[in-house]
Amino acid sequence: MCPPGFQDPKTATFHNVAAPTYAEAPEYGTFRTPGRNDYDSDVNNDLVTVTEDRDLKRGLAQRHLSMLGIAGAIGTGLFLGLGSAVQTAGPLGALLGYFTVGLVVCAVQFALGEVSALLPVTGSFVRHTEFLVDPALGFATGWNLVYGNLLSIPSEITAICVLFQFWTDLSPAIFIVIFIVLTVVIGIAFIRVYGEIEFIFAILKILLVVFLIIIGLVIDLGGIPGTPAIGGKFWRDPGPFVEHIAAGDWGKFLGYWSVMTGAVFSFAGVESLAMAAAETKNPRQAIPAACKRVFFRIVIFYVLAIVIVGLLVASNDERLNDSSSTAAQSPFVIAASAAGIPAIPSIVNAIVITSAWSSSNQGLLAGTRVLYGLALKKQAPSIFLRTTSWGVPYVCVLFFVPFMFLSFLTLSNAALTVFFWLVSLTAAGVLVSWSAILLNHVRLKLAMKQQGIPTESLPWHNSWTLYSSYAGLFMCLFILLTGGYEVFTEGNWDAQSFVSSYLDIPLVLAAYLIWKLLKKTKIVSLSDIPLEEAFKQAGQVPDDDPPVKKRSRTRWISWIWD
């Protein structure tokens, strides 16, 4: 045991002393460059490291995390993807598909919250995987997530191009450049600035979804003068399900299962709220609270939105076809146009554009923090540890910039075609990340049982989550392996679809095996996981500024994040 005020040189964890402040660290001009001793002391540490605790700034509050999760999940997948889901599976098939994935998200959120409350580190579940499973798997998961966000950011910028085509015929290149610049500016800004911007965007998204749900009910019930009531006629004709590839009940099931990939992409982002744990105030309180609240809000919004879409648009409506390559095929825009108010489609389109930009911002945050976490463990070049004087890993941000220009693929292909191609590539990576989160949680619970540590010792725990993690892990792997099943059916082989559905699997396996062979890592034995040190650190480092509950004039809306 080190005396108070000193570090244990083997673990670089803190004992009864606050971490060194940024002011105590050496500075080099505007940017903070880690010294060799800093870097080496972090390598074997699986908890909060010296470097991240000193160089990163805690600027995110619990309300930011809650809204980050909502902002990440309510994006282009909801506004552009639901029409395709209804067209493929029918209104009930789409509802069941999204509800199924919603249950998986529930398991993921609770697993992430329980582990992150104990280990609130930058890089979140990537670092957890090293600590609880195998350093090689942490390496593979981390670089897979970096790769996934390298693709998700241009996919969101591509969606912005789709949305602007609703208004103008100007070259998409103009909008690509504008939003690349905006995304980089937000990414390099102080984390609190990012949090406030995403907070506002999330509120806009929620207001839009609520507005669409209300206006959809009004239209469906015949509340618009001159527009007859629709009722549930589309559930009767053409019916609640759509037969896909095969006929009969089997075809209806395949339609339902085809929704899974799009649903996963739609929910992608909920796992990233813990990525910036070292930049979050009171992470052991804020992260579990955000995980719990985000899940219920998102499921409510998605379920209601899908029900409304199924009521307003028939599954065989030609306007849902992707051939238009504009936002006019969005079921929400179709519903708004049906209201007979010319301004509504433009209002919807404008907020959806902010939604897509918000999702690209979140992809940049998640990707850069994981890359920073990999650099802490010497699984990425040490140059990625360099931060600005306000605590942002600017080299990580700059690394992502060239890949944003993949958005220019829209100049030679239909924008919506590129969007859905990137959706498949991104969804596979999301499933790998969710699987890692659930596996981490299972390993933590099993290790605690073997080491005789009661579940109640966790900062946040639930009695049923071990079982939900097992079920969620099975579903994630099953969806990952069957996500591109259509290419194996007669007459439906497509090389592009096969690659976009399954490319991620060999990439992750290759990364895992390469790092395992190079570093000769081993799967950590349950009895050898240093949980005692983790619980000790959790108990020794008190949360700053404990939350104070107070009545607010904004409580009519603050229930979303409080």
Side-chain angles (χ1 to χ4, degrees), residues 21-344:
T21 63
Y22 178 76
E24 298 170 4
E27 296 183 9
Y28 300 85
T30 306
F31 301 113
R32 167 73 175 98
T33 304
R36 180 178 298 274
N37 292 336
D38 300 334
Y39 186 66
D40 290 342
S41 69
D42 286 338
V43 172
N44 296 319
N45 174 38
D46 291 299
L47 307 180
V48 180
T49 63
V50 178
T51 301
E52 67 184 301
D53 204 80
R54 177 190 54 212
D55 294 346
L56 302 179
K57 308 299 181 183
R58 295 189 183 275
L60 294 177
Q62 186 267 314
R63 65 181 178 91
H64 294 131
L65 293 189
S66 292
M67 298 305 267
L68 280 177
I70 294 174
I74 300 179
T76 50
L78 174 66
F79 296 114
L80 288 181
L82 286 188
S84 175
V86 171
Q87 188 179 44
T88 302
L92 183 55
L95 177 61
L96 292 176
Y98 273 80
F99 185 74
T100 301
V101 176
L103 293 177
V104 175
V105 171
C106 174
V108 170
Q109 287 293 89
F110 279 80
L112 179 64
E114 290 190 9
V115 180
S116 296
L118 177 65
L119 302 169
V121 294
T122 300
S124 185
F125 59 88
V126 174
R127 301 266 296 284
H128 300 160
T129 302
E130 296 180 5
F131 183 75
L132 296 166
V133 187
D134 186 345
L137 186 59
F139 171 83
T141 304
W143 277 105
N144 175 72
L145 200 144
V146 171
Y147 151 80
N149 282 290
L150 288 175
L151 293 178
S152 68
I153 296 172
S155 75
E156 299 295 350
I157 296 176
T158 295
I160 293 173
C161 295
V162 176
L163 294 161
F164 269 106
Q165 287 177 11
F166 180 74
W167 286 323
T168 179
D169 293 328
L170 288 175
S171 172
I174 298 174
F175 306 112
I176 291 173
V177 172
I178 290 173
F179 281 93
I180 286 178
V181 171
L182 290 174
T183 300
V184 173
V185 169
I186 298 301
I188 212 76
F190 178 49
I191 190 69
R192 176 65 180 268
V193 174
Y194 165 83
E196 294 297 348
I197 290 175
E198 289 302 293
F199 184 83
I200 294 171
F201 281 169
I203 291 177
L204 288 176
K205 293 180 187 183
I206 292 169
L207 291 176
L208 174 61
V209 173
V210 172
F211 167 76
L212 291 174
I213 290 172
I214 293 173
I215 196 68
L217 284 173
V218 172
I219 295 171
D220 183 69
L221 298 175
I224 303 296
T227 303
I230 299 174
K233 70 176 184 179
F234 295 140
W235 284 60
R236 297 186 297 272
D237 183 23
F241 290 99
V242 171
E243 296 177 355
H244 186 63
I245 297 179
D249 291 340
W250 178 239
K252 294 176 182 178
F253 173 80
L254 292 180
Y256 150 77
W257 198 256
S258 297
V259 172
M260 296 299 176
T261 298
V264 168
F265 178 82
S266 296
F267 283 109
V270 295
E271 73 282 358
S272 63
L273 59 83
M275 282 298 172
E279 298 166 85
T280 302
K281 300 175 183 178
N282 306 328
R284 290 187 173 89
Q285 295 178 3
I287 292 174
C291 287
K292 181 170 59 176
R293 290 163 181 153
V294 164
F295 162 71
F296 291 110
R297 272 71 167 174
I298 288 175
V299 169
I300 289 172
F301 290 136
Y302 264 92
V303 168
L304 289 177
I306 296 171
V307 169
I308 294 301
V309 169
L311 291 174
L312 294 177
V313 184
S315 58
N316 58 1
D317 193 316
E318 294 183 357
R319 292 174 293 181
L320 293 174
N321 291 329
D322 297 345
S323 59
S324 64
S325 295
T326 73
Q329 62 86 49
S330 167
F332 293 104
V333 173
I334 293 172
S337 300
I341 306 175
I344 290 182

